PDB file of all heavy atoms in Angstrom:
ATOM      1  N   PHE D 257     -51.542  -0.787  -1.296  1.00  0.00           N
ATOM      2  CA  PHE D 257     -50.241  -1.041  -1.947  1.00  0.00           C
ATOM      3  C   PHE D 257     -50.196  -0.259  -3.265  1.00  0.00           C
ATOM      4  O   PHE D 257     -50.967  -0.488  -4.184  1.00  0.00           O
ATOM      5  CB  PHE D 257     -50.039  -2.521  -2.184  1.00  0.00           C
ATOM      6  CG  PHE D 257     -48.832  -3.024  -1.515  1.00  0.00           C
ATOM      7  CD1 PHE D 257     -48.876  -3.618  -0.299  1.00  0.00           C
ATOM      8  CD2 PHE D 257     -47.569  -2.846  -2.124  1.00  0.00           C
ATOM      9  CE1 PHE D 257     -47.712  -4.031   0.345  1.00  0.00           C
ATOM     10  CE2 PHE D 257     -46.408  -3.250  -1.456  1.00  0.00           C
ATOM     11  CZ  PHE D 257     -46.515  -3.854  -0.230  1.00  0.00           C
ATOM     12  N   LEU D 258     -49.263   0.645  -3.395  1.00  0.00           N
ATOM     13  CA  LEU D 258     -49.090   1.377  -4.639  1.00  0.00           C
ATOM     14  C   LEU D 258     -47.803   0.882  -5.337  1.00  0.00           C
ATOM     15  O   LEU D 258     -46.730   0.939  -4.777  1.00  0.00           O
ATOM     16  CB  LEU D 258     -48.857   2.893  -4.359  1.00  0.00           C
ATOM     17  CG  LEU D 258     -49.923   3.599  -3.463  1.00  0.00           C
ATOM     18  CD1 LEU D 258     -49.617   5.067  -3.290  1.00  0.00           C
ATOM     19  CD2 LEU D 258     -51.310   3.383  -4.040  1.00  0.00           C
ATOM     20  N   GLY D 259     -47.979   0.313  -6.523  1.00  0.00           N
ATOM     21  CA  GLY D 259     -46.836  -0.196  -7.239  1.00  0.00           C
ATOM     22  C   GLY D 259     -46.684  -1.701  -7.078  1.00  0.00           C
ATOM     23  O   GLY D 259     -46.507  -2.207  -5.987  1.00  0.00           O
ATOM     24  N   LEU D 260     -46.832  -2.423  -8.175  1.00  0.00           N
ATOM     25  CA  LEU D 260     -46.819  -3.861  -8.155  1.00  0.00           C
ATOM     26  C   LEU D 260     -45.704  -4.399  -9.023  1.00  0.00           C
ATOM     27  O   LEU D 260     -45.840  -5.292  -9.845  1.00  0.00           O
ATOM     28  CB  LEU D 260     -48.139  -4.474  -8.577  1.00  0.00           C
ATOM     29  CG  LEU D 260     -49.338  -4.097  -7.641  1.00  0.00           C
ATOM     30  CD1 LEU D 260     -50.633  -4.596  -8.225  1.00  0.00           C
ATOM     31  CD2 LEU D 260     -49.141  -4.681  -6.265  1.00  0.00           C
ATOM     32  N   GLY D 261     -44.512  -3.867  -8.789  1.00  0.00           N
ATOM     33  CA  GLY D 261     -43.312  -4.441  -9.445  1.00  0.00           C
ATOM     34  C   GLY D 261     -42.951  -5.756  -8.716  1.00  0.00           C
ATOM     35  O   GLY D 261     -43.777  -6.271  -7.962  1.00  0.00           O
ATOM     36  N   ILE D 262     -41.780  -6.197  -8.973  1.00  0.00           N
ATOM     37  CA  ILE D 262     -41.321  -7.466  -8.359  1.00  0.00           C
ATOM     38  C   ILE D 262     -41.535  -7.438  -6.833  1.00  0.00           C
ATOM     39  O   ILE D 262     -42.105  -8.393  -6.276  1.00  0.00           O
ATOM     40  CB  ILE D 262     -39.844  -7.743  -8.695  1.00  0.00           C
ATOM     41  CG1 ILE D 262     -39.688  -8.042 -10.168  1.00  0.00           C
ATOM     42  CG2 ILE D 262     -39.295  -8.861  -7.853  1.00  0.00           C
ATOM     43  CD1 ILE D 262     -38.286  -8.048 -10.679  1.00  0.00           C
ATOM     44  N   MET D 263     -41.102  -6.346  -6.224  1.00  0.00           N
ATOM     45  CA  MET D 263     -41.170  -6.315  -4.774  1.00  0.00           C
ATOM     46  C   MET D 263     -42.577  -6.104  -4.275  1.00  0.00           C
ATOM     47  O   MET D 263     -43.057  -6.799  -3.372  1.00  0.00           O
ATOM     48  CB  MET D 263     -40.282  -5.180  -4.274  1.00  0.00           C
ATOM     49  CG  MET D 263     -38.789  -5.383  -4.515  1.00  0.00           C
ATOM     50  SD  MET D 263     -38.110  -6.853  -3.733  1.00  0.00           S
ATOM     51  CE  MET D 263     -38.014  -6.273  -2.047  1.00  0.00           C
ATOM     52  N   GLY D 264     -43.282  -5.147  -4.872  1.00  0.00           N
ATOM     53  CA  GLY D 264     -44.617  -4.801  -4.433  1.00  0.00           C
ATOM     54  C   GLY D 264     -45.568  -5.978  -4.583  1.00  0.00           C
ATOM     55  O   GLY D 264     -46.397  -6.236  -3.659  1.00  0.00           O
ATOM     56  N   LYS D 265     -45.454  -6.689  -5.670  1.00  0.00           N
ATOM     57  CA  LYS D 265     -46.325  -7.849  -5.852  1.00  0.00           C
ATOM     58  C   LYS D 265     -46.064  -8.953  -4.815  1.00  0.00           C
ATOM     59  O   LYS D 265     -47.016  -9.454  -4.206  1.00  0.00           O
ATOM     60  CB  LYS D 265     -46.032  -8.424  -7.287  1.00  0.00           C
ATOM     61  CG  LYS D 265     -47.035  -9.525  -7.663  1.00  0.00           C
ATOM     62  CD  LYS D 265     -46.768  -9.977  -9.081  1.00  0.00           C
ATOM     63  CE  LYS D 265     -47.325 -11.347  -9.329  1.00  0.00           C
ATOM     64  NZ  LYS D 265     -46.928 -11.878 -10.632  1.00  0.00           N
ATOM     65  N   ALA D 266     -44.785  -9.247  -4.618  1.00  0.00           N
ATOM     66  CA  ALA D 266     -44.467 -10.315  -3.642  1.00  0.00           C
ATOM     67  C   ALA D 266     -44.896  -9.900  -2.238  1.00  0.00           C
ATOM     68  O   ALA D 266     -45.465 -10.740  -1.493  1.00  0.00           O
ATOM     69  CB  ALA D 266     -42.959 -10.580  -3.635  1.00  0.00           C
ATOM     70  N   MET D 267     -44.757  -8.622  -1.885  1.00  0.00           N
ATOM     71  CA  MET D 267     -45.134  -8.226  -0.512  1.00  0.00           C
ATOM     72  C   MET D 267     -46.625  -8.198  -0.328  1.00  0.00           C
ATOM     73  O   MET D 267     -47.104  -8.647   0.712  1.00  0.00           O
ATOM     74  CB  MET D 267     -44.518  -6.814  -0.265  1.00  0.00           C
ATOM     75  CG  MET D 267     -42.995  -6.834  -0.139  1.00  0.00           C
ATOM     76  SD  MET D 267     -42.235  -5.198  -0.309  1.00  0.00           S
ATOM     77  CE  MET D 267     -42.607  -4.497   1.291  1.00  0.00           C
ATOM     78  N   SER D 268     -47.344  -7.713  -1.320  1.00  0.00           N
ATOM     79  CA  SER D 268     -48.822  -7.622  -1.150  1.00  0.00           C
ATOM     80  C   SER D 268     -49.412  -9.049  -1.140  1.00  0.00           C
ATOM     81  O   SER D 268     -50.349  -9.335  -0.365  1.00  0.00           O
ATOM     82  CB  SER D 268     -49.471  -6.748  -2.226  1.00  0.00           C
ATOM     83  OG  SER D 268     -49.056  -7.133  -3.491  1.00  0.00           O
ATOM     84  N   MET D 269     -48.866  -9.952  -1.940  1.00  0.00           N
ATOM     85  CA  MET D 269     -49.318 -11.327  -1.936  1.00  0.00           C
ATOM     86  C   MET D 269     -49.080 -11.951  -0.550  1.00  0.00           C
ATOM     87  O   MET D 269     -49.941 -12.667   0.011  1.00  0.00           O
ATOM     88  CB  MET D 269     -48.528 -12.148  -3.013  1.00  0.00           C
ATOM     89  CG  MET D 269     -49.066 -13.542  -3.236  1.00  0.00           C
ATOM     90  SD  MET D 269     -50.710 -13.494  -4.030  1.00  0.00           S
ATOM     91  CE  MET D 269     -50.226 -13.403  -5.784  1.00  0.00           C
TER      92      MET D 269
END
Side-chain angles (χ1 to χ4, degrees):
Chain D
F257 239 96
L258 308 182
L260 296 174
I262 290 169
M263 295 299 284
K265 186 178 161 187
M267 290 163 78
S268 50
M269 189 69 85

